Amino acid sequence: MGHGASDRGDRDLVDATRLEAHRAELTGYCYRMLGSGFEAEDAVQETFVRAWRTYDPGRGPLRPWLFHLATNVCLDMLRGPQRRARAMDLGPAAVPGADLGPPLPPERWIHPIPDARIVPEDAAVARETVRLAFVAALHHLPPRQRAVLILRDVLAWSAAETATLLSTTVTSVNSMLQRARAKLPAAGAADAEVDEALLSRYVAAFESHDVTGLVSLLHEDATMSMPPFTWWLRGREHIRAVLLASDAPCTGARLLPTRANGSPAFGQYVEGRAFGLLVLDVADGRVAGTTTFLDPGLFPFFDLPMSLGHALRTRR
């Protein structure tokens, strides 16, 4: 027993290591397909389970087989009729004073994902193709077109490789890619590198509820949204009006930095407790959009504490 079990354990250890080597890129792929970091991780785990059961070196290299399995898992998970979206995709901008309206269920929203879970070989490419706006744009496409566009244009798979993965023809892949490119909405540009001084000024203004200072850092047509509510704003002056009329409900808030979707992000704490995850879109040296996910359940996913210690709550 001892020798045979040892051999089997060594083989399993090698196989597990080989699978783990692909976790980050598979998570990034599944996230683009599904629009939820939690669902992407579930999809990768299911992919690994299926790989344990089905992979045979005679099929060819492990990586294409993993992507084949991951695509099937994602397509199975995307059989529902509704797509995930951002507030800006669901209706027109609100006017200051408008009611937030009822919240929508979690499955209707594009959710954020920590950069640390999708670290790719080419970080610059990954940042552009996991931004919230780009992922939301992908979700305008039918699932198979979405898969083709991600594989061809994001991950640089050839038409032949993509056809094999999807069990179809090169002609079909090229046709789906052409249709997907035509349908894909523009996602807007973002700064490749964000000025840390800009972020410092943003945090200082936010934490002191300095509306004038905060608004001065925004683009004139900046957006602000707060999932799970469909309410959202466009325009610096509308944002200013709402912030001034809000009677500083988040006075004393603190921001703890993190990274989400290739963008700067912050855990927002109110009275020392987890409140929401704030993701910034930065373009041309200014804040082009803010999305605050009002879900403290995201904090452990981003390795953020659920509450702040006394020293941090009282820092100057």
Side-chain angles (χ1 to χ4, degrees), residues 159-237:
E161 291 169 331
T162 303
T164 299
L165 185 148
L166 293 173
S167 302
T168 187
T169 65
V170 169
T171 300
S172 177
V173 163
N174 288 336
S175 176
M176 281 191 282
L177 180 61
Q178 185 177 15
R179 294 198 303 274
R181 286 172 174 169
K183 291 180 184 176
L184 189 70
D191 290 354
E193 298 296 335
V194 177
D195 182 5
E196 292 298 326
L198 171 69
L199 298 183
S200 295
R201 293 195 299 274
Y202 185 91
V203 170
F206 189 102
E207 293 186 340
S208 62
H209 196 70
D210 175 7
V211 173
T212 299
L214 194 66
V215 171
S216 73
L217 303 175
L218 304 180
H219 273 282
E220 186 174 349
D221 62 347
T223 61
M224 182 172 76
S225 62
M226 298 190 306
F229 299 101
T230 59
W231 175 97
W232 67 283
L233 295 173
R234 180 182 295 281
R236 191 162 53 199
E237 293 310 310

Side-chain angles (χ1 to χ4, degrees), residues 17-213:
T17 301
R18 291 180 66 196
L19 290 176
E20 284 298 323
H22 297 280
R23 181 180 290 276
E25 65 170 353
L26 284 169
T27 302
Y29 174 61
C30 292
Y31 174 71
R32 294 179 184 96
M33 286 290 294
L34 300 170
S36 163
F38 294 123
E39 287 192 358
E41 294 213 325
D42 288 345
V44 171
Q45 286 302 113
E46 177 61 21
T47 297
F48 284 174
V49 169
R50 295 187 187 186
W52 279 108
R53 295 172 179 166
T54 63
Y55 178 61
D56 179 347
R59 296 179 184 271
L62 175 61
R63 182 172 178 260
W65 184 243
L66 288 173
F67 271 88
H68 170 76
L69 295 174
T71 300
N72 287 340
V73 169
C74 289
L75 292 176
D76 287 343
M77 294 173 70
L78 289 167
R79 294 190 186 282
Q82 292 182 326
R83 65 178 175 87
R84 292 181 179 270
R86 298 181 303 159
M88 288 73 83
D89 303 316
L90 298 175
V95 295
D99 187 75
L100 291 179
L104 294 186
E107 61 269 19
R108 293 298 313 277
W109 298 103
I110 297 290
H111 289 286
I113 191 169
D115 281 12
R117 298 184 185 247
I118 50 173
V119 176
E121 293 181 6
D122 186 338
V125 169
R127 279 196 298 269
E128 289 301 316
T129 63
V130 293
R131 295 194 192 278
L132 291 171
F134 184 81
V135 175
L138 286 174
H139 282 244
H140 285 268
L141 304 176
R144 283 180 68 84
Q145 284 185 22
R146 192 183 313 166
V148 167
L149 188 135
I150 296 168
L151 290 165
R152 295 283 285 114
D153 285 358
V154 176
L155 301 179
W157 288 56
S158 70
E161 291 169 331
T162 303
T164 299
L165 185 148
L166 293 173
S167 302
T168 187
T169 65
V170 169
T171 300
S172 177
V173 163
N174 288 336
S175 176
M176 281 191 282
L177 180 61
Q178 185 177 15
R179 294 198 303 274
R181 286 172 174 169
K183 291 180 184 176
L184 189 70
D191 290 354
E193 298 296 335
V194 177
D195 182 5
E196 292 298 326
L198 171 69
L199 298 183
S200 295
R201 293 195 299 274
Y202 185 91
V203 170
F206 189 102
E207 293 186 340
S208 62
H209 196 70
D210 175 7
V211 173
T212 299

Side-chain angles (χ1 to χ4, degrees), residues 277-316:
L277 185 81
L278 171 63
V279 183
L280 304 185
D281 287 323
V282 180
D284 300 323
R286 288 182 180 269
V287 176
T290 64
T291 305
T292 303
F293 295 90
L294 301 176
D295 180 6
L298 289 168
F299 279 55
F301 192 45
F302 281 80
D303 294 324
L304 291 167
M306 294 300 292
S307 63
L308 298 179
H310 177 74
L312 186 54
R313 290 202 307 271
T314 58
R315 64 189 172 97
R316 294 181 184 273

